[in-house]
Amino acid sequence: MGTPLNDIADTTARAVADDPANALVVFRASGTPEGTVGSAITLGKHTVRVDEPPALGGADTAPNPVEVYLASLIACQVVTYRFWAQRLGITVDELSVSAEGDLDVRGFFGLDDSVRAGFQAVRVTVRIGGPDTAQRYAELQQAVDAHCPVLDLTTGRTPVETTLITD
């Protein structure tokens, strides 16, 4: 069996060793309104549509923003588990990830400024199977928790600067 993810990591490590600027990547997204509260988000050559359920003013034509966040977290967990399993030499025969989050809408609607607008808690469930020991899978989970970029966005502090341009 090949190790394509290890090969990518090794190639990246060499490129960064040659020039540390090679470690920096900029991802971009832009969005425009669609419908009452929906939006069309452009991500490179891809478009993701986002909407809200009727209770929040939408037509429920697409996932809402916090569902898209959960999808991003799950997708990042899946790729990070696969990457780190290969790096650590751990066999993963089965992998599924699910997530749920608790959101108190009083924060979003400004009904109670002591309630944060985002999730109050997020629970991630990882089901993993293979021939390795439970201890090895726990080692894998620790590596994933330490290196998953979307998890880091949630658990760490990321400075966000907003620029308002008026016409």
Side-chain angles (χ1 to χ4, degrees), residues 26-69:
V26 175
F27 291 93
R28 291 181 175 81
S30 62
T32 56
E34 231 178 39
T36 304
V37 294
S39 54
I41 309 302
T42 302
L43 310 160
K45 64 180 183 175
H46 305 283
T47 299
V48 175
R49 290 196 155 56
V50 180
D51 198 4
E52 293 284 359
L56 296 175
D60 203 19
T61 61
N64 71 26
V66 293
E67 290 170 326
V68 172
Y69 160 77

Side-chain angles (χ1 to χ4, degrees), residues 45-137:
K45 64 180 183 175
H46 305 283
T47 299
V48 175
R49 290 196 155 56
V50 180
D51 198 4
E52 293 284 359
L56 296 175
D60 203 19
T61 61
N64 71 26
V66 293
E67 290 170 326
V68 172
Y69 160 77
L70 291 174
S72 295
L73 177 59
I74 290 168
C76 198
Q77 288 274 293
V78 167
V79 71
T80 306
Y81 265 93
R82 295 173 78 190
F83 177 82
W84 278 95
Q86 199 169 100
R87 294 295 283 178
L88 297 172
I90 296 172
T91 301
V92 174
D93 292 334
E94 297 176 29
L95 176 65
S96 67
V97 181
S98 61
E100 62 182 13
D102 303 324
L103 190 121
D104 185 331
V105 298
R106 292 177 297 171
F108 173 75
F109 285 112
L111 303 174
D112 184 342
D113 288 338
S114 70
V115 175
R116 55 184 298 215
F119 283 127
Q120 282 71 47
V122 173
R123 290 168 299 283
V124 177
T125 301
V126 178
R127 295 192 189 287
I128 195 164
D132 287 288
T133 65
Q135 182 178 356
R136 288 289 281 158
Y137 292 115

